[in-house]
């Protein structure tokens, strides 16, 4: 009797940890999704509790093994994906001095702007591939040094969330080159910590994790945790890579010219190159995936989190009704939006509810509706919000096109890919066919495939082609993309015009904070 073999992909996300059990053909056998709060006590804060994420990870691993009825001998390995740009300060007893400061935290905005205004910022970008923005741990460290020097003085290690979890499981601080690349402290040309960035942030090498490749294996988990999970402590844990790069792998967008568009809580547009390609204008990131594979693209803050805001703030009664009827509230909203024609009868929405990274790289950016008339309804507003998210991604695509050439194909994934309206909207606005892979959890699958490669269970990463099926392809609707051609230039011009006032309104909001601004976001 042949023993079935399995691989687990763990995706440490912004608002939840997803754990997926795959067979070696890339088919999902069982999954678990455990949410945790995103703490936003002030408008610029975006933190998580590292202990809550650790618990979500242990719970998820335990759940999928139980649901999949997997014996310890059948599990070949566990491989990790993680959200980029997280930062935790650890003390001499290896206890956190801070919560997880996430990519969405904008408190370092002032220091990012100062760095942008001199040649040092561009020099660091060219060495690290990380745009100058408060998302970057390097910029966060400038803020912490200036405003929280007492915490920095107590810090013995600066780590990310995956480093923290693996330390608790294995007792070692290690970081893969992919996530290290995203810290802004890593030189993409030397594949080592960047001396200039370390000097600027006053960080010693000994305070950072040991650098390893994305296929590196850890073994010898602490027995207390192995017993809880129900796993052999010598099961290999493959360190894996960042969620963005692994999403490209997980949707089979690893060949030149194949564009991956992802919208989850946040979003991104990315393409793979065989060597690091740096945008001379500093607008796009360059992140390592694996040997001879680099991902060039732009991340956006405002994806599904905007849709959640629309649901919670504009459609609270419908949300309550959906919960009572046990139907998906997001599906209800997309059904409402689908009744409105493309272009929302001239209502435009800029989705910058949490500042923005690509394409404008402005932490002070704020959201707005433009073109409102008495004829517009809440249905128009939800349609405009969904379109605004895609307009923003389209701007990122134009930047990538200028660096790597026109995309030949688009693979779309993320929570939004469940929506037929959004998939068609993407095809119409981008004026290209959009392919939807079978797996919505692309980062978890990408992690599993990278783990299989590390363990020699597949010939190379191209084996993902046989694992990622296409459930459907959406073709552009000519009537719709003609409307979008008219509106997109207006939307883009408005983005530039509004940019002159973003700092002013953001300063006002900081000076007059809402005492009830705490938000606990759930996935």
């Amino acid at each position: 009797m042949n023993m079935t073999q399995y691989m687990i992909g763990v995706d440490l996300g912004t608002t939840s940890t997803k754990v997926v059990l795959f067979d070696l053909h890339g088919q999902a056998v069982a999954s678990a999704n455990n949410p945790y709060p995103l703490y936003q006590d002030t408008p610029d804060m975006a933190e998580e509790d590292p202990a809550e994420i650790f618990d979500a990870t242990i719970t998820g691993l335990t759940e999928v093994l139980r649901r999949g009825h997997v014996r310890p001998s059948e599990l070949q390995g566990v491989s990790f994906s993680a959200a980029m740009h997280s930062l935790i300060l650890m003390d001499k007893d290896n206890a956190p001095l801070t919560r997880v400061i996430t990519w969405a935290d904008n408190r370092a905005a002032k220091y990012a702007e100062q760095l942008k205004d001199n040649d040092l910022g561009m020099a660091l970008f060219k060495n690290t591939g990380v745009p100058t923005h408060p998302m970057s741990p390097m910029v966060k460290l400038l803020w912490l040094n200036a405003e929280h020097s007492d915490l920095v003085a107590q810090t013995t290690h600066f780590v990310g969330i995956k480093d923290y979890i693996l330390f608790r499981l294995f007792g070692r601080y290690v970081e893969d080159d992919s996530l290290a690349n995203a810290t802004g402290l890593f030189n993409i040309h030397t594949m080592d910590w960047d001396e200039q960035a370390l000097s600027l942030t006053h960080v010693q090498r000994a305070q950072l994790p040991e650098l390893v490749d994305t296929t590196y294996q850890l073994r010898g988990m602490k027995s207390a945790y192995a017993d809880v999970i129900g796993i052999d402590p010598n099961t290999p844990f493959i360190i894996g890579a960042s969620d963005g790069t692994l999403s490209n792998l997980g949707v089979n967008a690893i060949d030149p010219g194949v564009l991956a568009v992802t919208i989850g809580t946040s979003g991104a547009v990315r393409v793979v190159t065989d060597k690091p390609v740096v945008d001379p204008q500093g607008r796009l990131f360059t992140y390592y995936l694996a040997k001879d594979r680099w991902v060039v693209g732009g991340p956006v803050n405002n994806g599904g989190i905007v849709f959640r805001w629309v649901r919670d703030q504009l459609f609270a009664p419908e949300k309550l009704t959906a919960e009572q009827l046990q139907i998906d509230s997001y599906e209800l909203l997309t059904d409402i939006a689908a009744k409105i024609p493309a272009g929302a009868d001239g209502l435009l929405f800029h989705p910058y509810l949490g500042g923005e990274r690509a394409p404008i790289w402005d932490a002070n950016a704020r959201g707005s509706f433009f073109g409102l008339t008495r004829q517009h309804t809440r249905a128009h507003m939800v349609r405009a919000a969904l379109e605004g998210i895609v307009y923003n991604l389209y701007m990122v695509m134009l930047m990538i096109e200028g660096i790597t050439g026109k995309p030949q194909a688009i693979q779309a994934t993320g929570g939004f890919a469940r929506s037929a309206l959004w998939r068609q909207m993407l095809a119409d606005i981008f004026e290209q066919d959009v392919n939807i892979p079978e797996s919505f959890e692309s980062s978890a699958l990408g992690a599993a495939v990278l783990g299989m490669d590390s363990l020699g269970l597949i010939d190379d990463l191209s084996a993902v082609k046989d694992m990622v099926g296409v459930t459907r392809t959406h073709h552009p609707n000519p009537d719709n993309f003609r409307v979008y051609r008219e509106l997109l230039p207006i939307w883009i011009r408005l983005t530039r015009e509004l940019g002159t006032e973003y700092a002013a309104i953001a300063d006002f909001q900081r000076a007059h904070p809402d005492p009830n601004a705490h938000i606990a976001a759930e996935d």
Side-chain angles (χ1 to χ4, degrees):
M1 180 178 172
N2 292 328
M3 181 179 68
T4 306
Q5 295 180 311
Y6 299 99
M7 193 81 201
I8 289 177
V10 180
D11 182 19
L12 306 170
T14 306
T15 53
S16 71
T17 287
K18 302 177 183 71
V19 181
V20 186
L21 177 71
F22 296 96
D23 65 22
L24 298 193
H25 301 290
Q27 296 300 305
V29 176
S31 65
N33 184 12
N34 291 290
Y36 29 77
L38 181 66
Y39 297 98
Q40 297 180 274
D41 303 337
T42 66
D44 288 324
M45 176 190 285
E47 294 185 341
E48 299 160 339
D49 185 328
E52 290 175 341
I53 301 176
F54 181 80
D55 290 345
T57 304
I58 298 299
T59 300
L61 288 167
T62 306
E63 288 173 341
V64 298
L65 290 170
R66 186 183 71 246
R67 290 170 187 169
H69 306 289
V70 177
R71 292 173 297 197
S73 59
E74 295 175 319
L75 182 63
Q76 301 305 297
V78 178
S79 186
F80 280 80
S81 160
M84 290 178 273
H85 314 300
S86 63
L87 179 64
I88 311 169
L89 276 55
M90 306 292 290
D91 69 13
K92 60 182 176 57
D93 298 316
N94 296 306
L97 288 162
T98 63
R99 291 189 294 209
V100 186
I101 308 171
T102 72
W103 60 267
D105 193 294
N106 281 329
R107 285 173 291 177
K110 177 174 71 174
Y111 302 92
E113 289 303 314
Q114 291 171 356
L115 201 55
K116 273 185 183 177
D117 290 339
N118 60 57
D119 293 338
L120 178 58
M122 182 53 72
L124 287 166
F125 167 74
K126 289 178 178 177
N127 283 339
T128 66
V130 182
T132 305
H133 185 272
M135 69 176 185
S136 164
M138 185 271 290
V139 178
K140 290 181 172 76
L141 286 167
L142 298 179
W143 158 63
L144 289 166
N145 282 327
E147 299 184 22
H148 299 279
S149 57
D150 55 328
L151 281 177
V152 175
Q154 300 172 59
T155 302
T156 57
H157 287 92
F158 299 97
V159 304
I161 184 56
K162 185 163 69 174
D163 315 335
Y164 168 84
I165 287 172
L166 293 177
F167 178 83
R168 287 192 61 179
L169 292 176
F170 293 93
R172 290 177 57 198
Y173 284 121
V174 289
E175 184 162 28
D176 64 87
D177 290 337
S178 179
L179 277 172
N181 185 169
T183 64
L185 301 170
F186 179 90
N187 189 303
I188 59 177
H189 308 292
T190 64
M191 299 298 288
D192 196 2
W193 297 117
D194 184 81
E195 293 296 343
Q196 191 174 33
L198 297 188
S199 175
L200 180 66
T201 55
H202 309 295
V203 173
Q204 304 299 314
R205 280 175 171 267
Q207 294 177 293
L208 295 169
E210 174 190 353
L211 289 171
V212 297
D213 204 353
T214 53
T215 53
Y216 185 78
Q217 300 172 16
L218 287 158
R219 297 173 189 259
M221 180 193 293
K222 294 176 182 177
S223 59
Y225 295 122
D227 291 344
V228 168
I229 297 167
I231 195 174
D232 184 329
N234 289 315
T235 301
F237 272 52
I238 295 83
I239 194 166
S242 67
D243 56 355
T245 59
L246 286 172
S247 183
N248 267 61
L249 175 59
V251 298
N252 187 29
I254 55 173
D255 291 332
V258 180
L259 198 71
V261 179
T262 305
I263 304 184
T265 304
S266 56
V269 185
R270 303 173 302 268
V271 69
V272 169
T273 60
D274 61 0
K275 59 182 181 296
V277 178
V278 178
D279 174 17
Q281 295 185 52
R283 305 163 302 175
L284 301 172
F285 59 64
T286 304
Y287 294 147
Y288 178 75
L289 168 58
K291 186 176 183 299
D292 299 327
R293 284 194 167 96
W294 295 79
V295 177
V296 176
V300 303
N301 289 2
N302 299 286
I305 200 166
V306 173
F307 197 15
R308 179 188 301 156
W309 174 83
V310 170
R311 181 197 65 180
D312 293 350
Q313 304 304 327
L314 302 183
F315 288 85
E318 287 82 358
K319 177 188 175 186
L320 180 60
T321 300
E323 289 172 350
Q324 291 170 342
L325 297 176
Q326 295 185 321
I327 61 176
D328 189 294
S329 56
Y330 291 114
E331 286 184 17
L332 179 62
L333 261 64
T334 53
D335 288 344
I336 292 170
K339 294 179 172 63
I340 302 299
D345 291 321
L347 181 61
L348 300 176
F349 179 71
H350 285 81
Y352 305 137
L353 303 187
E356 191 50 283
R357 292 180 288 172
I360 60 175
W361 294 103
D362 188 346
N364 291 318
R366 296 296 186 262
S368 58
F369 283 102
F370 180 83
L372 269 171
T373 69
R374 289 192 300 274
Q375 283 68 46
H376 287 119
T377 65
R378 288 186 305 148
H380 286 87
M381 296 174 84
V382 68
R383 173 96 195 195
L386 294 174
E387 289 176 339
I389 293 168
V390 183
Y391 290 160
N392 201 47
L393 292 166
Y394 177 81
M395 282 183 66
V396 179
M397 187 274 288
L398 292 178
M399 293 176 182
I400 295 173
E401 186 176 304
I403 302 299
T404 65
K406 189 172 180 63
Q408 305 304 308
I410 296 176
Q411 303 283 95
T413 189
F416 260 42
R418 295 183 176 90
S419 162
L421 175 66
W422 175 74
R423 297 190 300 260
Q424 188 60 49
M425 200 178 280
L426 189 65
D428 293 343
I429 292 172
F430 278 56
E431 291 187 45
Q432 288 202 27
D433 288 352
V434 171
N435 300 313
I436 310 298
E438 290 179 8
S439 174
F440 291 111
E441 303 301 349
S442 56
S443 295
L445 177 59
V449 172
L450 192 65
M452 292 179 204
D453 183 53
S454 170
L455 295 167
L457 300 171
I458 54 177
D459 291 336
D460 55 46
L461 296 182
S462 62
V464 74
K465 290 182 175 66
D466 298 323
M467 301 181 189
V468 179
V470 175
T471 54
R472 60 187 65 83
T473 297
H474 288 259
H475 308 288
N477 179 322
D479 293 335
N480 290 350
F481 72 64
R482 276 192 285 267
V483 171
Y484 292 131
R485 279 183 195 169
E486 289 187 55
L487 289 173
L488 269 165
I490 302 171
W491 193 92
I492 291 170
R493 286 197 302 271
L494 272 171
T495 307
R496 294 172 182 148
E497 292 292 331
L498 291 169
T500 61
E501 299 299 334
Y502 283 148
I505 196 65
D507 287 344
F508 175 86
Q509 291 169 348
R510 292 185 186 108
H512 305 279
D514 180 354
N516 301 311
H518 177 79
I519 299 170
E522 58 184 357
D523 191 53

